Amino acid sequence: PPTVALAEQQPPASVAPDASAAAHDGAGGARNKYADVKPSKVLHLRNTPKDVQRWEIEALFGEEFGPCVKIVPLPGKPQALVQLRDVETASGAMETFERRRQAQIRGNKIYFNYSHRSEIQEVHRDPVYDAERAYRDKIGAPDWSVPLNIADREAARRGAP
């Protein structure tokens, strides 16, 4: 089954965060073109599984950062965009994930940056995801870390109570 993991990460007390390290990603020290982007309520997630599901991303943010306003996995790419309610929430998530925790989806370490976008514009909707989210809210099951069973997914698609 898919897994979403958060591992606590504590840097040694004697080591101060290196600003130059923030400009490089974890892939062989290559320059990260998103390192100098100003804070935004939209986060760019890298190194996600190419077939990442929206509920897996929602589970990363959980109740700590509130529900994600919009989630857009980029088709065929190991990336996704996530819009949170405001810049402060996004900044808190960035701090948490980059400094204190390692976020993983199915064993992939997820890297976070602010997006160049200030907001995600919806081009098309995903009716299955919208129906599942509405159904979870209706039955009081907001925990996205556990996928709905087959019967609940079918009920969500039908719009059943």
Side-chain angles (χ1 to χ4, degrees):
T3 59
V4 176
L6 296 173
E8 290 297 324
Q9 174 180 311
Q10 297 295 330
S14 62
V15 177
D18 181 3
S20 65
H24 293 80
D25 67 14
R31 180 93 178 133
N32 178 356
K33 66 181 179 180
Y34 295 97
D36 299 323
V37 175
K38 69 178 185 166
S40 164
K41 62 184 173 183
V42 179
L43 299 180
H44 179 216
L45 282 59
R46 295 177 294 120
N47 200 38
T48 65
K50 286 185 180 180
D51 62 341
V52 69
Q53 301 295 309
R54 285 179 171 90
W55 70 264
E56 292 174 293
I57 295 169
E58 184 96 28
L60 280 179
F61 291 91
E63 293 180 16
E64 185 174 358
F65 303 107
C68 299
V69 174
K70 295 177 185 164
I71 299 172
V72 179
L74 302 179
K77 295 183 178 183
Q79 303 171 29
L81 296 174
V82 176
Q83 181 176 323
L84 298 173
R85 67 179 167 259
D86 53 38
V87 175
E88 293 76 25
T89 303
S91 295
M94 285 281 292
E95 172 68 21
T96 297
F97 291 128
E98 290 297 322
R99 301 281 183 218
R100 295 187 292 149
R101 293 187 196 160
Q102 284 188 349
Q104 293 185 5
I105 297 177
R106 289 188 250 151
N108 290 18
K109 180 179 186 230
I110 308 302
Y111 297 94
F112 295 82
N113 294 102
Y114 293 110
S115 173
H116 291 286
R117 301 171 186 271
S118 60
E119 190 170 304
I120 296 174
Q121 299 296 320
E122 291 198 42
V123 176
H124 63 342
R125 304 280 300 175
D126 181 344
V128 173
Y129 174 74
D130 292 342
E132 184 173 327
R133 187 169 189 163
Y135 185 75
R136 283 178 182 277
D137 291 343
K138 184 183 277 188
I139 64 171
D143 184 3
W144 285 83
S145 64
V146 179
L148 291 177
N149 63 39
I150 299 294
D152 285 340
R153 281 179 185 253
E154 289 304 315
R157 287 185 186 136
R158 287 191 317 269

